[in-house]
Amino acid sequence: MEAFTTHTGIGVPLRRSNVDTDQIIPAVYLKRVTKTGFDDGLFNAWRTNDPEFVLNKPAYAKGSVLVAGPDFGTGSSREHAVWALRDYGFKAVLSTRFAEIFRGNAGKQGLVAGILSQDDIEQLWKILEETPGAEVTVDLENRQVHAGESTFRFDIDEYTRWRLMEGLDDIGLTLRHEAEITAFEATRPAWMPKTLPARTADSV
Amino acid sequence: MAGTLAEKVWADHVVRRGENGEPDLLYIDLQLLHEVTSPQAFDGLRQEGRLPRRIDQTIATEDHNTPTIDIDKPIADITSRTQIDTLRRNAQEFGVRIHSLGDRDQGIVHVVGPQLGLTMPGITVVCGDSHTSTHGAFGALAFGIGTSEVEHVLATQTLSLTPFKTMAINVTGSLKPGVTAKDIILAVIAKIGTGGGAGYVLEYRGEAIRELSMEGRMTICNMSIEAGARAGMIAPDETTFEYVKGRPHAPQGEDWDEAVAYWKTLRSDDDATFDAEVVIDADELEPFVTWGTNPGQGLPLSAAVPAPEDFVDETDRYAAERALEYMDLVPGTPLKDIKVDTVFMGSCTNGRIEDLRAFASVLEGRTKHPDVRVMVVPGSARVRLQAEQEGLDEIFLAFGAEWRQAGCSMCLGMNPDQLAPGERAASTSNRNFEGRQGKGGRTHLVSPVVAAATAVRGTLSSPSDLGAPVAPAAPSDLQPTA
């Protein structure tokens, strides 16, 4: 994973709440077995059916910082939602509240999910709508968003921030504690579920 | 120290306590896999030259992409077929147990786990699917994860997690006849909202929950994610033990006694404190239905379509406006006047044998509305076999319903079972998002008995709206209260 310190790019005001992961990428786009190439699925229904949709406006089309309403990323656990945002070119999503699985997935893929107050989100929307194509800077080190003359503070949990800034691989980090995992396994009762050897019911 | 159920299960799985704001490293007892969220995880293992740590705690099934007719023929959609073939290849290469299409143990991953007796009280369960919360019905800590985490669990059998907060959902009193577990959870989500559970593990408690079967409890825990919660749990009791006992992977003999002794300790202590508490009065509940495009936009079936002005909060008002436009609904229309084109009976929320029995009990002896298409999709191949053994298939077919093979089917618009643009469904599934059941499709979430009554009348209906033959309960018991 690439380390993230600051990013500056076009801000995209998405004035919608409850943007669920089916809206971010519909299920029909989840059939690939690769980890890239999901950008065509991003917000597909809105991009194809709604000329007024923000990403259909040329000034915002190359956006890389999404500013969304509350409860962003609800619903399905599909990490494809993060891959689609990333493949499209987004580096950060700002909202007042994220669904937890989405937030976790974002942290694994180097996409910053920053939490701001509703007032700050409203101000960002105003700036980005008044000046379409305006740039926004996301400064992860100082947890700040700069837009126009304004600076806002965002929240992100300390552990995720550290991992993003270091660009660390999670599995590698965990495997440093392999001995502790093995020790824990030795304490598990014998009756805990085992899928193998496979057993099945004799009758219906 | 006094603890809640969720805190106890958490504490029993901590491999390593995080220091200075680091997350805890939590041991995962069981990982369930399916074709959609696993290919990139296996690829990741291959790239790094890693092997799954515990194939004996891992099981795979095919469900999201699979067709529900002609399952003996090759899958027509080439990308779906590739995804299924990829899962089969990965399972073979890494030695993971798999139940493929056509196998008696194939089915929706959340139906298969409990059915095999792999889901047990007090364990941790993960799957790359948000409805993993289903398994919390057994008093397991079960939650959905993304593909990177699937790979992490394959490689390490652990996850790094920050402890959740806990919320008690106390469901007092008893449900009236015709009101079900689905109505409880739709009412909970309408009350706390789609983000209300964010940061929490919900524990469903109270008399009405204790009175539910395991299948009803699974319906409730299944939809915890629709309230934004990471997981939902119910303390195990005799109903739970009875359900697990004798299943293929359930503990046996002395192991069983030891397991039950432990499971009996898995309840929130009387003096435990929850971070939040919500009360729902089951006596007051009536059949619930969603009118909008998120599961929190629900109302009792006797109500009318709301107007955006009814919402005080600006965000809610705007969301309602958009939802009404997408759903093509006019404020003030009684919900019971809404005509549907399709009734979908199935999914990990309501695709178990009891759900099919409830659905059949309303259909039996009645006639399908001529304009409605009815699809009945069992949650697993075994549920299908059992339904056929009980003759439920004959009731469905006599009614004019389609009786299909097991899978996720029309719940998610990923396989051939989809709504056409503009089509409207009464669905026993879990999500009414825009386009969820097919591009442009419109979804009303309902319980199996409401779905059945709707199939008879052609408009959203509860069994109490139907003439004879009616359920043996007194008609007064079936009348909505408000």
Side-chain angles (χ1 to χ4, degrees):
Chain A
M1 193 166 77
E2 219 174 294
F4 188 118
T5 46
T6 68
H7 167 78
T8 301
I10 293 171
V12 179
L14 181 63
R15 273 192 189 265
R16 300 191 192 206
S17 61
N18 267 296
V19 176
D20 57 74
T21 53
D22 277 76
Q23 302 318 311
I24 300 173
I25 184 164
V28 289
Y29 290 90
L30 309 187
K31 296 182 187 180
R32 291 196 187 92
V33 293
T34 57
K35 232 179 187 177
T36 54
F38 290 93
D39 46 322
D40 55 342
L42 181 71
F43 298 129
N44 184 271
W46 296 337
R47 275 164 72 198
T48 44
N49 299 334
D50 179 1
E52 291 304 302
F53 181 62
V54 64
L55 288 179
N56 287 335
K57 296 179 182 167
Y60 299 110
K62 290 193 164 36
S64 61
V65 179
L66 189 65
V67 185
D71 296 315
F72 189 85
T74 54
S76 155
S77 65
R78 57 190 72 163
E79 193 161 315
H80 312 63
V82 172
W83 300 337
L85 286 161
R86 182 201 59 195
D87 290 351
Y88 186 90
F90 282 104
K91 304 287 185 199
V93 184
L94 308 174
S95 170
T96 55
R97 192 163 55 195
F98 290 95
E100 286 167 72
I101 302 178
F102 178 87
R103 197 162 51 88
N105 288 340
K108 311 277 183 229
Q109 295 297 327
L111 181 74
V112 170
I115 299 171
L116 282 83
S117 71
Q118 185 63 36
D119 282 351
D120 289 353
I121 291 282
E122 298 275 355
Q123 282 197 56
L124 274 168
W125 280 342
K126 199 158 166 267
I127 293 168
L128 299 175
E129 283 167 353
E130 280 172 0
T131 319
E135 288 197 328
V136 172
T137 297
V138 177
D139 172 354
L140 183 58
E141 187 165 11
N142 296 302
R143 292 193 175 95
Q144 286 177 342
V145 178
H146 307 284
E149 302 296 302
S150 311
T151 294
F152 309 94
R153 191 182 157 74
F154 69 88
D155 275 329
I156 185 165
D157 74 86
E158 186 48 42
Y159 180 71
T160 304
R161 175 173 162 274
W162 169 71
R163 276 187 36 258
L164 286 169
M165 290 188 59
E166 301 286 326
L168 287 172
D169 161 46
D170 257 7
I171 295 177
L173 278 176
T174 298
L175 288 176
R176 293 181 189 172
H177 305 296
E178 194 171 2
E180 286 159 271
I181 300 172
T182 306
F184 181 90
E185 280 178 332
T187 67
R188 298 175 71 239
W191 47 262
M192 292 297 258
K194 288 242 180 341
T195 56
L196 297 171
R199 291 194 218 141
T200 186
D202 303 329
S203 60
V204 170
Chain B
M1 204 184 79
T4 62
L5 167 62
E7 287 161 353
K8 288 182 182 182
V9 178
W10 183 283
D12 285 350
H13 288 84
V14 174
V15 171
R16 185 173 185 276
R17 221 18 105 202
E19 287 158 13
N20 308 321
E22 266 182 67
D24 290 348
L25 191 63
L26 211 67
Y27 194 78
I28 303 301
D29 294 312
L30 180 65
Q31 171 153 245
L32 312 165
L33 299 170
H34 62 85
E35 74 276 14
V36 181
T37 55
S38 65
Q40 295 88 352
F42 281 112
D43 241 12
L45 290 185
R46 255 191 302 266
Q47 275 165 23
E48 299 293 325
R50 290 172 175 143
L51 289 174
R53 184 177 176 88
R54 298 302 298 251
I55 51 170
D56 60 345
Q57 290 168 223
T58 309
I59 186 168
T61 177
E62 301 164 1
D63 55 6
H64 284 61
N65 267 299
T66 49
T68 55
I69 48 169
D70 297 333
I71 62 166
D72 49 337
K73 302 199 177 75
I75 298 175
D77 181 319
I78 191 96
T79 50
S80 289
R81 202 196 311 163
T82 303
Q83 210 163 49
I84 300 271
D85 287 346
T86 305
L87 178 66
R88 291 178 187 175
R89 261 204 320 276
N90 284 330
Q92 193 178 24
E93 178 182 337
F94 291 103
V96 172
R97 173 176 175 183
I98 183 169
H99 293 292
S100 290
L101 205 55
D103 181 314
R104 287 161 76 95
D105 286 311
Q106 177 268 341
I108 308 177
V109 66
H110 309 307
V111 178
V112 169
Q115 183 176 278
L116 283 171
L118 288 166
T119 305
M120 293 177 197
I123 65 169
T124 47
V125 186
V126 297
C127 173
D129 188 285
S130 59
H131 292 112
T132 309
S133 57
T134 310
H135 308 265
F138 292 78
L141 181 60
F143 47 90
I145 56 177
T147 299
S148 294
E149 290 170 312
V150 171
E151 182 183 340
H152 192 280
V153 175
L154 282 170
T156 71
Q157 208 59 38
T158 64
L159 276 178
S160 289
L161 293 166
T162 315
F164 310 124
K165 291 181 285 182
T166 56
M167 184 188 292
I169 308 277
N170 289 312
V171 189
T172 59
S174 290
L175 291 173
K176 291 186 291 247
V179 187
T180 66
K182 184 67 166 281
D183 303 306
I184 294 180
I185 189 62
L186 286 174
V188 168
I189 301 162
K191 182 162 181 158
I192 70 175
T194 54
Y200 292 95
V201 170
L202 311 183
E203 184 185 331
Y204 303 96
R205 300 152 58 86
E207 196 187 342
I209 300 295
R210 297 264 74 93
E211 287 171 2
L212 289 174
S213 66
M214 281 317 292
E215 309 214 336
R217 294 178 190 186
M218 283 190 256
T219 299
I220 291 191
C221 288
N222 170 278
M223 288 188 73
S224 302
I225 183 71
E226 301 339 319
R230 198 62 200 267
M233 295 176 89
I234 294 173
D237 58 12
E238 290 303 326
T239 305
T240 322
F241 309 149
E242 197 51 45
Y243 184 94
V244 175
K245 195 170 188 176
R247 291 189 179 267
H249 286 277
Q252 293 172 357
E254 278 176 28
D255 279 347
W256 173 260
D257 298 335
E258 197 186 310
V260 171
Y262 171 65
W263 295 345
K264 284 183 173 168
T265 68
L266 296 173
R267 48 182 293 277
S268 292
D269 293 321
D270 295 337
D271 50 347
T273 18
F274 290 89
D275 299 300
E277 208 147 341
V278 170
V279 179
I280 299 268
D281 184 357
D283 293 317
E284 295 297 313
L285 282 184
E286 49 176 306
F288 238 74
V289 58
T290 61
W291 52 268
T293 53
N294 75 56
Q297 292 174 322
L299 279 171
L301 191 51
S302 58
V305 175
E309 305 83 76
D310 299 345
F311 298 88
V312 185
D313 182 84
E314 197 189 339
T315 313
D316 290 345
R317 191 159 57 233
Y318 182 61
E321 209 170 286
R322 281 192 48 82
L324 292 177
E325 189 189 322
Y326 182 85
M327 294 296 287
D328 191 26
L329 292 174
V330 179
T333 310
L335 292 169
K336 287 189 180 177
D337 287 357
I338 297 173
K339 280 190 186 161
V340 310
D341 308 295
T342 295
V343 167
F344 172 61
M345 171 66 212
S347 85
C348 60
T349 311
N350 280 125
R352 286 167 286 267
I353 189 68
E354 240 179 59
D355 300 311
L356 296 187
R357 286 181 195 139
F359 189 72
S361 74
V362 178
L363 300 189
E364 195 166 17
R366 293 199 170 92
T367 317
K368 183 177 79 65
H369 190 279
D371 299 341
V372 180
R373 168 197 190 198
V374 182
M375 279 176 68
V376 187
V377 184
S380 71
R382 253 178 217 288
V383 168
R384 182 180 156 97
L385 289 170
Q386 176 154 7
E388 289 179 348
Q389 200 175 63
E390 295 178 17
L392 302 183
D393 57 324
E394 286 163 31
I395 297 173
F396 301 141
L397 292 170
F399 182 76
E402 298 166 33
W403 173 233
R404 293 185 166 235
Q405 303 287 340
C408 296
S409 185
M410 200 184 258
C411 178
L412 88 165
M414 183 157 194
N415 50 63
D417 305 345
Q418 303 200 18
L419 293 178
E423 248 190 305
R424 188 182 296 282
S427 177
T428 64
S429 56
N430 42 56
R431 289 188 176 136
N432 52 343
F433 298 156
E434 290 181 25
R436 169 78 178 181
Q437 296 192 286
K439 204 168 185 171
R442 300 176 176 127
T443 304
H444 296 276
L445 300 177
V446 296
S447 73
V449 292
V450 168
T454 302
V456 175
R457 298 220 318 162
T459 58
L460 293 173
S461 304
S462 83
S464 61
D465 298 320
L466 303 175
V470 228
S476 61
D477 283 340
L478 294 166
Q479 289 304 313
T481 51

